[in-house]
Amino acid sequence: MNIDLTETTSAQINSALVGARRATGTPAVGMVLTLVIVTDEGNHYDALKAASQASKEHPSRILVVIKRPGRSPRERALARLDAEVRVGNETDTGETVLLRLHGELAGHAASVVLPLLLPDAPVVVWWPEDAPENPAEDLLGKLATRRITDAAACEDPVGALRQRAAAYEPGDTDLAWTRITPWRSMLAAALDQRHATIESAVVEGEEYNPSTELLALWLADRLGVPVERTGSPGPGLTAVRLLTTDGVICLDRPNGALAELAVPGQPERHVALKRRTTAELIAEELRRLDPDEAYAHAVAYGVERLAPPGAVERAVAGSAAAEAPAAATESAESAESAAAGGKRKRPAKKAAPDSKPSS
């Protein structure tokens, strides 16, 4: 059921929601949280589609805040709220309200959203694009238990990670971090199978991919070893190599779907590591509403502390070059010792005719 409301108020929207639930035969509220999406007219369709799919796993009231401040002085002076209420149909597990805030009202989204929040239920705010520099200080962010951003949607993803670290508050998270959950799980499982000292690591991925940076930060923070971040054609993350005393643990995903895991002393095997949709990422974030301490430590580590490009390869090459002269010297000494031993045996052979053969 769709209900269009023009020049409306929050009270009228609440009344429309109650009437729609009764009309569809579901007067009880069976939703577990409120998901607020802050976006614009051009991006709200994709964001709402992803949130609706995630709501099948987490029934929720979805509030889509579309700000339309206007371009002309006359449009900016307006203060009008238009809404579209959707109950049932594709949102059969929840409710959806599209809120279009015109003119001056675009700057007061929190006052519009507050009366529409589910009582005694967590609130999650998601900025698909153009997130505030400090989400926790945003008026909508202050209403939320969890705040979701996406550094991949920024013009400068690495700079966005620095900003996230500087403004982090418990409850903040980023979809760039959510994208590497399968990678972190796979690498942790590989290290559990092979107990060896890790000396360094290399993470490969597309240029300007914040997920690559975050995975490198997580490894550097957790392992305490130099981690280098290198570029690749993609798509997304393509490979992680952990250099250990027993050999190289390599997780390689060249096509974005199937990865190959190589562990020293074990046969290589293929593992599913496909790139996930936005709906799957949002569904994962809605499973946990407590602060993500691992994400906090990763962004706080600092991108500037990662090893410069080529540093790990140069270190490995340098150690190999240092081992080569030592091996050559050892071989030369062995040859000289053998040669010297041969010369000492020759006088004994010359003295053999004067002595009697042993019985």
Side-chain angles (χ1 to χ4, degrees):
M1 174 181 291
N2 289 7
I3 303 175
D4 292 327
L5 302 173
T6 304
E7 295 186 7
T8 185
T9 63
S10 298
Q12 293 175 352
I13 296 173
N14 267 321
S15 299
L17 286 170
V18 174
R21 285 200 302 270
R22 290 175 177 172
T24 56
T26 55
V29 179
M31 290 158 287
V32 298
L33 58 88
T34 303
L35 175 60
V36 182
I37 306 173
V38 186
T39 182
D40 54 22
E41 199 69 59
N43 297 301
H44 86 276
Y45 175 81
D46 292 334
L48 178 57
K49 182 179 179 181
S52 298
Q53 293 175 359
S55 71
K56 295 178 181 179
E57 182 177 341
H58 309 277
S60 56
R61 174 177 289 178
I62 303 173
L63 304 178
V64 185
V65 178
I66 304 173
K67 298 181 180 182
R68 305 184 65 174
R71 297 181 179 179
S72 66
R74 181 178 180 180
E75 291 177 342
R76 289 194 294 269
L78 293 175
R80 190 177 86 243
L81 172 63
D82 297 335
E84 181 180 346
V85 178
R86 301 177 183 176
V87 178
N89 300 329
E90 71 275 7
T91 59
D92 54 344
T93 56
E95 302 169 343
T96 299
V97 181
L98 275 72
L99 303 168
R100 289 181 170 86
L101 284 61
H102 298 266
E104 292 184 358
L105 194 59
H108 303 278
S111 61
V112 177
V113 169
L114 183 59
L116 301 176
L117 300 179
L118 290 172
D120 301 324
V123 179
V124 180
V125 179
W126 172 31
W127 291 270
E129 293 187 4
D130 301 325
E133 292 185 357
N134 192 340
E137 292 299 323
D138 184 81
L139 293 179
L140 283 172
K142 291 181 178 180
L143 302 175
T145 307
R146 200 72 187 265
R147 296 167 291 275
I148 305 174
T149 57
D150 192 357
C154 302
E155 293 184 3
D156 182 11
V158 178
L161 292 181
R162 295 191 180 97
Q163 183 62 38
R164 301 286 184 270
Y168 175 81
E169 291 290 339
D172 292 353
T173 190
D174 198 281
L175 291 185
W177 172 257
T178 316
R179 292 184 181 98
I180 65 173
T181 300
W183 287 82
R184 294 189 294 122
S185 301
M186 198 66 63
L187 291 171
L191 292 178
D192 286 341
Q193 299 173 17
R194 193 72 182 181
H195 298 284
T197 303
I198 301 174
E199 298 176 341
S200 60
V202 178
V203 180
E204 293 183 0
E206 285 181 309
E207 295 289 342
Y208 307 108
N209 186 338
S211 296
T212 307
E213 304 286 349
L214 281 172
L215 184 56
L217 291 172
W218 176 72
L219 288 172
D221 175 63
R222 290 295 177 175
L223 300 178
V225 299
V227 178
E228 178 187 337
R229 190 260 196 241
T230 60
S232 70
L237 274 163
T238 53
V240 175
R241 295 192 301 276
L242 303 177
L243 284 69
T244 72
T245 53
D246 293 344
V248 178
I249 298 175
C250 181
L251 182 60
D252 188 13
R253 188 191 66 177
N255 58 5
L258 192 65
E260 186 178 87
L261 177 61
V263 179
Q266 300 181 14
E268 296 182 357
R269 58 185 181 273
H270 292 88
V271 294
L273 203 63
K274 71 180 185 70
R275 305 187 72 189
R276 296 181 295 170
T277 63
T278 305
E280 293 173 311
L281 301 176
I282 292 297
E284 178 184 328
E285 285 301 330
L286 296 182
R287 292 188 196 113
R288 56 174 301 171
L289 299 177
D290 57 317
D292 194 338
E293 297 181 359
Y295 167 73
H297 287 295
V299 293
Y301 186 84
V303 178
E304 63 281 353
R305 295 177 60 185
L306 294 176
V312 173
E313 281 82 352
R314 288 193 297 268
V316 173
S319 60
E323 292 174 358
T329 302
E330 183 178 353
S331 300
E333 291 177 353
S334 300
E336 291 177 1
S337 175
K343 291 179 181 178
R344 284 193 296 269
K345 290 178 181 179
R346 286 175 186 173
K349 289 181 181 180
K350 291 180 181 179
D354 297 335
S355 60
K356 295 181 181 180
S358 58
S359 58

